[in-house]
Amino acid sequence: MKMATASPKRTINMFHGRRQFGRALRESGLPQERRRAFSRRLHALFTNLNEEYSRGSSPKRLEAIAGLSDALSKVHKEPFSRLVSPYVDIQTGEPTELGELVAMPKEFARRVNGPKSELISLMHSLEPEVPFSELVNYSYNAFGYARSGITNASPGEPLSWLPLGNSIFISKLAEELASSNDSITVINLGAGPGALEGMILSKLKEFLPRIKILSVEQDKASLKAIGNKVREASGVEWKVVEGNFTDLALQREISTASSANPFAVCGYSMHHASPKNVGQVLSWLTSISWHRNAYVQVHDVSGGKEGGGQSPVNRIFFNFMPLFHLSVFQPDKEFAKRAFTKMFPKEAAEAVKNFPEFFIDGTTPVAARKMLANGSISVFTKQCDRDYYYSRSYELSGTYPELRLLFPKLE
């Protein structure tokens, strides 16, 4: 009788994209000795993390982790929403039973994604020859998360935390338009293929004559998606500016073009900025918020309160990219320093309750509250205090002559 043989223990790889990352590093110009030393440390760290993630797991959990590894290996080929749907409810953003099974324990998540993690320290070790932001770009391109998660996802299978920020912004815009007869300029920083603009055209039809749109984007494919034909057919005064919103000259151009009650949003875009540029961008957005009736909103994934928070998706699909998110959004001191207000989960729930038509099907007030509470998304806002605006605008424009363009003449 032939005896059954046990299958060899499978090596589970949770860090797909390492080879592509290695190739990019070889082309960086880094001296060979430093590059090899870095690669050895990186390989050892990845090996230890893989083993620790799987150690002591039940056969059921090991099987689930192996399935997750297979999903990661297909990230370039299939829509991200399809790959993650076994692990995350794509309508509510909550982890499924399988997602709970493979989710990283908090302590392990903190080790991997926390601001003091060994992985982040290792990434900084190549500076100044290879900046942290450059390493992130290598990893970002190697892993392919954005291409799969954003551009290829089926519209019928959204991850509800992705459009949540835009929906909240649209609800604020609708409130302002309904409360006055003023025109409003919407500034979309990092517009991508125009998802926010599409929402405005479809959800705010009655207000379109009073809406101007300024879309800022540097990606050629996204610019093509919101081309001239789309804008002309919209019937809205809609300008597209090509460039990086961290560029000072471009910021001046945007400020000059958006003096009429600006509503600015930076949605899932700030994490693309180098951490050293984040403070300057927030200061510039603060200057925009000094316009009469202005509103500024920044939303992105969040590091959570304890480190390694992220959304349920990023908790289980860990790689270099979410580390970059954390370098920007945890802690929130850059926002607090500039008096941005962090939106409470209750406020997001109220937005869903008051404007359900602006949110995707399945997004309940409870789900919105949870997504802000569990770190799927953080929303920071800044709004002009109208009384304070009038009392301080003249004084400020006198003290800082370069700000005079920000304030209309007082009657």
Side-chain angles (χ1 to χ4, degrees):
M1 180 178 176
K2 189 175 180 180
M3 298 291 291
T5 57
S7 58
K9 185 177 179 181
R10 180 176 178 182
T11 301
I12 298 172
N13 176 22
M14 297 303 296
F15 297 93
H16 294 271
R18 279 186 289 177
R19 289 184 179 179
Q20 295 94 321
F21 177 81
R23 282 198 293 269
L25 193 60
R26 283 194 295 274
E27 296 170 2
S28 68
L30 190 72
Q32 186 179 76
E33 185 177 341
R34 288 196 67 195
R35 175 173 53 80
R36 286 182 173 176
F38 173 86
S39 297
R40 284 193 296 269
R41 289 179 60 194
L42 186 65
H43 177 74
L45 180 57
F46 279 168
T47 300
N48 290 339
L49 289 172
N50 272 332
E51 291 178 354
E52 183 176 341
Y53 186 55
S54 307
R55 191 180 302 140
S57 297
S58 66
K60 185 178 180 181
R61 184 169 185 267
L62 284 174
E63 184 180 350
I65 294 174
L68 181 57
S69 175
D70 286 340
L72 281 171
S73 70
K74 300 171 185 174
V75 75
H76 287 281
K77 302 174 183 178
E78 295 186 34
F80 193 69
S81 57
R82 186 180 305 156
L83 297 177
V84 303
S85 58
Y87 309 97
V88 178
D89 186 321
I90 58 177
Q91 291 299 322
T92 67
E94 292 296 306
T96 63
E97 183 178 349
L98 190 60
E100 294 280 8
L101 193 62
V102 300
M104 287 188 277
K106 283 186 178 180
E107 286 299 323
F108 183 72
R110 190 179 293 112
R111 277 198 56 206
V112 176
N113 287 337
K116 295 181 180 179
S117 79
E118 184 179 353
L119 190 49
I120 288 183
S121 297
L122 180 59
M123 290 175 71
H124 280 292
S125 70
L126 295 183
E127 295 175 332
E129 289 87 351
V130 183
F132 177 84
S133 57
E134 192 65 26
L135 279 179
V136 172
N137 287 334
Y138 295 161
S139 173
Y140 193 80
N141 292 328
F143 189 74
Y145 168 95
R147 287 192 293 278
S148 220
I150 308 296
T151 60
N152 295 333
S154 166
E157 292 187 326
L159 289 165
S160 58
W161 56 269
L162 279 174
L164 181 69
N166 280 351
S167 295
I168 291 172
F169 179 80
I170 292 288
S171 71
K172 296 289 184 182
L173 180 59
E175 282 184 330
E176 182 63 29
L177 286 164
S179 67
S180 73
N181 293 319
D182 293 335
S183 295
I184 287 180
T185 302
V186 175
I187 308 166
N188 189 8
L189 302 175
L196 175 73
E197 290 82 350
M199 287 181 68
I200 291 173
L201 298 179
S202 64
K203 303 291 187 181
L204 300 176
K205 292 180 180 179
E206 63 181 299
F207 299 115
L208 289 183
R210 293 195 280 126
I211 297 176
K212 299 178 182 179
I213 300 176
L214 179 61
S215 305
V216 183
E217 178 56 53
Q218 62 178 345
D219 177 65
K220 299 288 186 183
S222 294
L223 289 166
K224 185 177 180 181
I226 50 177
N228 293 329
K229 289 184 179 180
V230 175
R231 301 203 306 279
E232 289 170 2
S234 72
V236 175
E237 186 177 332
W238 181 358
K239 180 180 180 182
V240 174
V241 177
E242 180 178 357
N244 188 328
F245 61 79
T246 66
D247 180 74
L248 296 178
L250 185 60
Q251 289 176 6
R252 286 192 289 270
E253 179 183 343
I254 295 169
S255 294
T256 301
S258 57
S259 59
N261 303 323
F263 260 58
V265 63
C266 185
Y268 301 112
S269 302
M270 193 70 82
H271 66 256
H272 292 290
S274 169
K276 66 182 180 182
N277 291 332
V278 171
Q280 189 279 325
V281 173
L282 293 178
S283 294
W284 168 58
L285 288 174
T286 296
S287 74
I288 289 179
S289 74
W290 270 98
H291 286 284
R292 185 170 63 90
N293 300 349
Y295 174 79
V296 173
Q297 177 176 309
V298 179
H299 58 265
D300 216 306
V301 293
S302 170
K305 295 180 180 178
E306 299 179 349
Q310 293 287 331
S311 68
V313 175
N314 280 330
R315 275 192 170 189
I316 56 182
F317 289 81
F318 52 92
N319 56 87
F320 281 166
M321 193 198 66
L323 294 176
F324 196 40
H325 291 166
L326 285 165
S327 73
V328 175
F329 285 93
Q330 183 192 351
D332 303 327
K333 61 182 181 182
E334 293 294 341
F335 291 88
K337 189 190 305 180
R338 292 163 181 82
F340 275 77
T341 299
K342 189 170 185 178
M343 183 174 288
F344 290 109
K346 180 180 179 181
E347 189 174 349
E350 285 294 318
V352 178
K353 181 180 177 181
N354 295 333
F355 299 95
E357 68 275 16
F358 296 157
F359 295 82
I360 67 169
D361 294 340
T363 303
T364 64
V366 172
R369 182 194 297 266
K370 284 184 177 180
M371 281 184 272
L372 262 68
N374 70 14
S376 297
I377 176 177
S378 278
V379 181
F380 298 90
T381 65
K382 210 169 184 31
Q383 192 157 13
C384 179
D385 183 318
R386 302 182 193 193
D387 293 335
Y388 189 65
Y389 164 85
Y390 283 117
S391 67
R392 289 282 286 158
S393 59
Y394 180 77
E395 179 183 345
L396 280 172
S397 61
T399 305
Y400 305 101
E402 67 273 16
L403 295 181
R404 282 177 182 159
L405 284 175
L406 298 178
F407 306 107
K409 293 181 180 178
L410 298 178
E411 297 296 333

